């Protein structure tokens, strides 16, 4: 964890209407319940989310690369939050999970795979919001001198692998799509930060990369990518906001989380409508990447759209769970439905509608 930044918000954020409260409560009663003996620990609250954030309320947000903090700050949404916010910066889902376990963080942005490993570890950390970016932003990078024109050609290759990450699920989906098993390849367990150097140095044959590492990788002579038509469908492009159940069940913190969910949607809609400012202020000035790389990153992600917290999203998450479980990489059976707090869907609906953002189209 890096150093923290603290900010005291002003009172007067957006408040939910009685109709939205009723809808949220009905959704929760209809689609969630108490955790089973073989599910996550803790009781699931079905109480309506409060409209009032009491004075003195505080949320600790476990951020990654200061990304959510920057989106909230640059969009002006951070100053509107009617509670105290403390940001702590982490690298990766496993470190955030440890902070949740210790009670040192309340809520965090994360990819779609860390919540699965949280459930499998018995951590009760429900998803309260989500966004969708381009499903083609992840590429399978191929080391110099290696040829992988089709996914079937992954057979016998050394593939960079990091459990608990979206890249893990992408590799497993690629193998499944090619009708290969993990026994047909050599999974080389590395940290995500090691993927780029490992594949361009030939320590592994293949590694799943996203920008700006894709561009940096292709600058190495002799490198290539598995063609996009081969890798279609191996990456979801989903990211989540999830929180400790103790926080979602606490009247004060759940009211603050309700306000945060609305701000989360509006902040990333601001990113959609201010791409040049976002590129410069976040990627160039904060993350220290070149202007060219910043442009590639933003283009690779596309626009942020927002899924409903509903059965469609639960089913998508369950499919990812099933892929990881089929590889034998989960310690026990888990259900995606145990990892959501559907009361927050009403807040997403309100924020998307009022901000002019777009809902993610339903899968057919």
């Amino acid at each position: 964890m890096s150093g923290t930044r603290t900010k005291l918000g002003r009172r007067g954020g957006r408040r939910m209407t009685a109709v939205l409260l009723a809808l949220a409560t009905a959704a929760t009663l209809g689609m969630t319940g108490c955790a089973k003996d073989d599910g996550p620990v803790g009781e699931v609250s079905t109480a309506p989310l409060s409209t009032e954030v009491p004075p003195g309320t505080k949320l600790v947000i476990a951020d990654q690369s200061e990304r959510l903090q920057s989106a909230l700050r640059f969009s002006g949404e951070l100053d509107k939050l009617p509670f105290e916010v403390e940001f702590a910066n982490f690298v990766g889902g496993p470190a955030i999970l440890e902070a949740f376990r210790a009670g040192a963080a309340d809520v965090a942005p994360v990819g779609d795979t860390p919540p699965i490993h949280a459930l499998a570890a018995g951590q009760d950390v429900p998803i309260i919001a989500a966004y969708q970016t381009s499903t083609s932003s992840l590429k399978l990078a191929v080391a110099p001198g290696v040829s992988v024109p089709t996914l079937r050609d992954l057979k016998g290759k050394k593939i960079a692998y990091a459990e608990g990450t979206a890249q893990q699920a992408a590799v497993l989906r690629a193998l499944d799509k090619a009708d290969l098993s993990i026994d047909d390849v050599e999974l080389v367990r590395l940290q995500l930060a090691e993927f780029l150097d490992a594949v361009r140095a030939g320590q592994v044959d293949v590694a799943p990369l996203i920008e700006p590492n894709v561009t940096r990788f292709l600058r190495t002579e002799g490198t290539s990518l598995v063609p996009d038509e081969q890798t279609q469908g191996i990456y979801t492009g989903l990211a989540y906001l999830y929180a400790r159940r103790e926080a979602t069940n606490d009247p004060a913190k759940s009211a603050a989380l309700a306000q945060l969910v609305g701000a989360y949607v509006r902040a990333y809609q601001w990113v959609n409508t201010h791409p040049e400012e976002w590129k410069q202020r976040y990627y160039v000035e904060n993350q220290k990447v070149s202007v060219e790389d910043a442009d590639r990153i933003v283009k690779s992600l596309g626009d942020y759209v927002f899924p409903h917290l509903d059965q469609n999203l639960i089913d998508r998450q369950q499919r990812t769970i099933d892929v990881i479980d089929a590889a034998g990489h989960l310690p026990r059976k888990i259900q995606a439905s145990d990892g959501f707090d559907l009361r927050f869907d009403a807040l997403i609906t309100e924020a998307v509608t009022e901000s002019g953002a777009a809902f993610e189209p339903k899968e057919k």
Side-chain angles (χ1 to χ4, degrees), residues 25 34 70 106 139 143 158 172 183 205 256 361:
T25 306
C34 293
S70 296
D106 297 308
K139 311 291 185 182
K158 294 180 179 179
L172 295 177
D183 295 328
D205 298 312

Side-chain angles (χ1 to χ4, degrees), residues 95-114:
I96 290 174
L97 190 57
E98 286 302 315
F100 281 145
R101 184 176 287 115
D106 297 308
V107 60
V110 73
D112 67 341
T113 306

Side-chain angles (χ1 to χ4, degrees), residues 352-363:
V352 169
T353 301
E354 292 185 359
S355 69
F359 292 106
E360 182 199 23
K362 298 281 188 182
E363 287 190 347

Side-chain angles (χ1 to χ4, degrees), residues 1 6 22-23 79 109 142 166 172 199 203 213-214 225 249-250 277 291 317 321 330 349:
M1 182 176 70
T6 304
L23 289 172
D79 289 334
V142 182
L172 295 177
V199 69
Q203 295 170 353
N213 284 340
V214 174
L225 303 174
N249 285 354
D250 178 81
E277 186 175 351
V291 173
Q317 189 72 346
I321 290 172
L330 291 178
T349 300

Side-chain angles (χ1 to χ4, degrees), residues 278-289:
W278 177 243
K279 281 187 284 190
Q280 180 62 33
R281 296 183 67 183
Y282 178 65
Y283 287 110
V284 177
E285 297 175 11
N286 184 288
Q287 296 297 298
K288 309 303 181 185
V289 305

Side-chain angles (χ1 to χ4, degrees), residues 23-54:
L23 289 172
T25 306
T28 305
L29 290 170
M31 299 182 70
T32 64
C34 293
K36 303 176 180 63
D37 291 340
D38 61 348
V41 296
E43 293 187 356
V44 180
S45 175
T46 57
L49 293 169
S50 173
T51 61
E52 294 286 347
V53 180

Side-chain angles (χ1 to χ4, degrees), residues 38-40 113-123 317-322 324-325 329-339:
D38 61 348
T113 306
I116 295 170
H117 289 270
L119 276 177
Q123 284 291 105
Q317 189 72 346
Q318 188 63 50
R319 287 195 288 273
T320 301
I321 290 172
D322 293 343
I324 299 172
D325 186 49
H329 291 179
L330 291 178
R332 62 191 180 95
K333 293 285 186 181
I334 57 174
Q335 296 299 315
S337 55
D338 290 327

